Amino acid sequence: MRWMRAMPWGRRRSDSENVATSTVEDEKEMRTGVTDGAAIDDAGAGESAVPEQAVVSDPSPDDERRAALMASLPETDDSTPLAAQLAVDARRRIELHGRRFPRPETTRVITVANQKGGVGKTTTTVNIAAGLAQAGLNVLVIDNDPQGNASTALGVEHRAGTPSVYEVLVDGDPLESAVQRCPDIPTLWCVPATIDLSGAEIELVSLVSRETRLRRALDDYFAARAARGEDPIDYVLVDCPPSLGLLTVNAFVVGREVLIPIQCEYYALEGLSQLLKTIELIKSHLNPSLHVSSILLTMYDGRTNLAQQVAAEVREHFPDQTLRTTVPRSVRVSEAPSYGQTVMTYDAGSSGALAYLEAARELAERGSNVASDAPDERGDHGGTPSSTVVPADDVRDMNDDRAEGSSSIMVGHLVAADAPRAGYADMAEQPVVGQEEQG
């Protein structure tokens, strides 16, 4: 599809790949909705989250041009899923190209977590971060997963011996000593993870204030940037390992919001009860401002009844948290890390890239103009819409038999089971009870 790949935000290609299509031809094809190829590398059609026409009081010339282009697109329906997906992608290209996302009033710290593996946590983290950064925002990614896949996707060095989040958590090094700039996007930074982080779970057990070490390091980093007169960070995204250990607890304590990616398959639903119960415990004892702000449906294949049923179940039980955008299965999304890139720079015209960019826009617009109702105990980050943690009972309603069996969780090393519901600052300094019994 010439017009899709020749757009100015297209992926960085090798010298052997030559895509030469004029801007005039691009615009002509965009107006007529004509594409050169019928093949598409995405297995399914995601649900559209882009309005056909933005409603503004005084439309700018760009808005008028976008409206005219979208009005010229042919009408499609569900009877032709390929054409419907192409129309969705065309509307997203027109709507999102050159957009600047709203800047939050204060830094938003978002933990991307799901103890189920393979649901797209790292992919979601790096691509939403890249989408936000490309839209003019300052974004920091903290790779808190020993696998280091987020570091790979962002193209930063993370070989053994590289200053990383391990030195920050275990040795107490300042966070800025490990921060690296993403080579493809100047306003995107990353704190990499090395193989050393795989032993941090054991080493953190004997350390004082082990649950709050990442939070303190991030607060000091914000203060250092402010002292140097640098622009504040708008978004911090923390990538978590597929577990509920001390690394994930540190991520929950440092964050104010939780973004949960859910694969559109049944197994992904089973672990939600345990995850939400853990978030409730962290909220009660360590971080009162923590809440589930967003749920993103990933690997959506609109051709299957299962994906549609899972999406409907999630939206029914979490109507406020679930983003309208769904991310379809896409070969480009899977290929991008092998080039040390996110899909936003590898092939920004692909369906997966456009879906993640739309999800980033939706995430930014959700929290841009609404301040938290509760006072911000954290001081340095906040300013997002307040919401309550989704009760785990809502998840168990989806599959009572199997979810009930997995809803119990051992929390001896996470929080003190008999600790009073003290304030955030008080709990941060209290030793955690119960580790000795667990060995």
Side-chain angles (χ1 to χ4, degrees):
M1 288 173 281
R2 293 180 300 169
W3 68 273
M4 179 178 72
R5 292 177 177 172
M7 295 303 287
W9 60 82
R11 71 177 174 93
R12 186 178 65 203
R13 297 179 179 272
S14 64
D15 294 337
S16 62
E17 293 179 294
N18 183 21
V19 180
T21 305
S22 67
T23 306
V24 176
E25 291 176 344
D26 291 344
E27 185 168 348
K28 179 180 178 181
E29 290 183 354
M30 189 178 295
R31 289 180 181 274
T32 59
V34 177
T35 57
D36 288 336
I40 185 169
D41 63 334
D42 300 309
E47 298 175 65
S48 173
V50 181
E52 293 188 358
Q53 183 172 348
V55 179
V56 291
S57 56
D58 187 14
S60 64
D62 286 342
D63 291 331
E64 293 177 350
R65 177 179 175 274
R66 288 190 180 98
L69 288 174
M70 285 193 285
S72 67
L73 293 175
E75 296 293 333
T76 60
D77 53 41
D78 295 337
S79 63
T80 55
L82 180 58
Q85 180 62 46
L86 290 173
V88 168
D89 291 346
R91 287 187 174 90
R92 281 174 171 165
R93 289 186 190 92
I94 297 169
E95 179 67 21
L96 297 174
H97 177 49
R99 287 283 187 183
R100 311 292 283 185
F101 295 169
R103 192 178 301 274
E105 295 180 359
T106 55
T107 303
R108 295 179 64 183
V109 184
I110 303 174
T111 299
V112 184
N114 192 334
Q115 84 277 11
K116 171 73 170 62
V119 298
K121 290 186 298 296
T122 298
T123 302
T124 296
T125 300
V126 298
N127 287 303
I128 285 185
L132 293 169
Q134 287 181 335
L137 302 175
N138 297 321
V139 184
L140 173 67
V141 173
I142 300 178
D143 190 356
N144 206 34
D145 185 352
Q147 298 176 90
N149 292 333
S151 306
T152 300
L154 294 177
V156 300
E157 183 63 56
H158 64 105
R159 292 179 295 182
T162 303
S164 65
V165 71
Y166 170 82
E167 285 76 16
V168 174
L169 289 173
V170 177
D171 298 336
D173 291 357
L175 190 69
E176 59 185 330
S177 66
V179 173
Q180 300 183 40
R181 188 187 297 270
C182 176
D184 296 317
I185 307 174
T187 58
L188 177 59
W189 294 267
C190 176
V191 180
T194 63
I195 191 62
D196 297 331
L197 192 60
S198 58
E201 293 271 5
I202 299 174
E203 297 181 61
L204 283 171
V205 167
S206 60
L207 299 181
V208 177
S209 190
R210 54 182 171 262
E211 300 89 357
T212 62
R213 296 177 77 86
L214 186 58
R215 182 204 65 171
R216 295 177 182 277
L218 185 61
D219 289 345
D220 292 343
Y221 175 68
F222 288 156
R225 286 184 64 95
R228 294 192 297 266
E230 299 178 0
D231 292 335
I233 297 293
D234 297 307
Y235 284 86
V236 178
L237 278 78
V238 186
D239 186 29
C240 292
S243 67
L244 295 176
L246 282 172
L247 291 177
T248 303
V249 171
N250 266 271
F252 281 148
V253 173
V254 75
R256 186 180 178 103
E257 306 175 48
V258 180
L259 167 61
I260 304 177
I262 297 180
Q263 183 182 8
C264 292
E265 294 184 3
Y266 174 74
Y267 285 150
L269 298 177
E270 286 195 313
L272 266 183
S273 175
Q274 184 176 358
L275 177 62
L276 295 176
K277 187 176 181 66
T278 301
I279 293 173
E280 287 179 336
L281 290 170
I282 299 296
K283 178 181 174 70
S284 299
H285 297 287
L286 291 171
N287 187 357
S289 60
L290 186 68
H291 65 277
V292 178
S293 64
S294 307
I295 294 175
L296 177 63
L297 297 171
T298 62
M299 306 182 194
Y300 180 83
D301 188 344
R303 301 172 303 176
T304 66
N305 291 333
L306 176 61
Q308 297 177 24
Q309 291 168 0
V310 171
E313 288 283 347
V314 173
R315 294 188 188 283
E316 178 183 353
H317 289 84
F318 310 104
D320 298 329
Q321 291 81 12
T322 306
L323 300 180
R324 298 187 305 273
T325 307
T326 58
V327 180
R329 289 188 178 273
S330 174
V331 174
R332 297 302 188 200
V333 173
S334 302
E335 287 178 352
S338 65
Y339 291 86
Q341 300 180 58
T342 67
V343 74
M344 312 303 293
T345 56
Y346 175 71
D347 191 351
S350 65
S351 295
L354 292 169
Y356 272 118
L357 185 59
E358 178 63 25
R361 179 192 182 188
E362 188 177 350
L363 189 69
E365 291 180 345
R366 277 191 168 197
S368 60
N369 299 320
V370 184
S372 176
D373 295 335
D376 184 13
E377 301 96 337
R378 303 291 297 280
D380 289 301
H381 25 279
T384 57
S386 61
S387 65
T388 57
V389 174
V390 182
D393 292 340
D394 286 352
V395 184
R396 285 196 287 268
D397 288 343
M398 287 189 283
N399 26 95
D400 295 329
D401 297 333
R402 304 184 70 173
E404 278 289 344
S406 62
S407 61
S408 61
I409 179 173
M410 296 181 65
V411 295
H413 72 288
L414 300 182
V415 293
D418 56 349
R421 293 178 177 250
Y424 180 80
D426 297 334
M427 280 302 304
E429 301 298 331
Q430 292 183 4
V432 176
V433 184
Q435 182 64 39
E436 295 79 4
E437 288 78 6
Q438 294 192 27

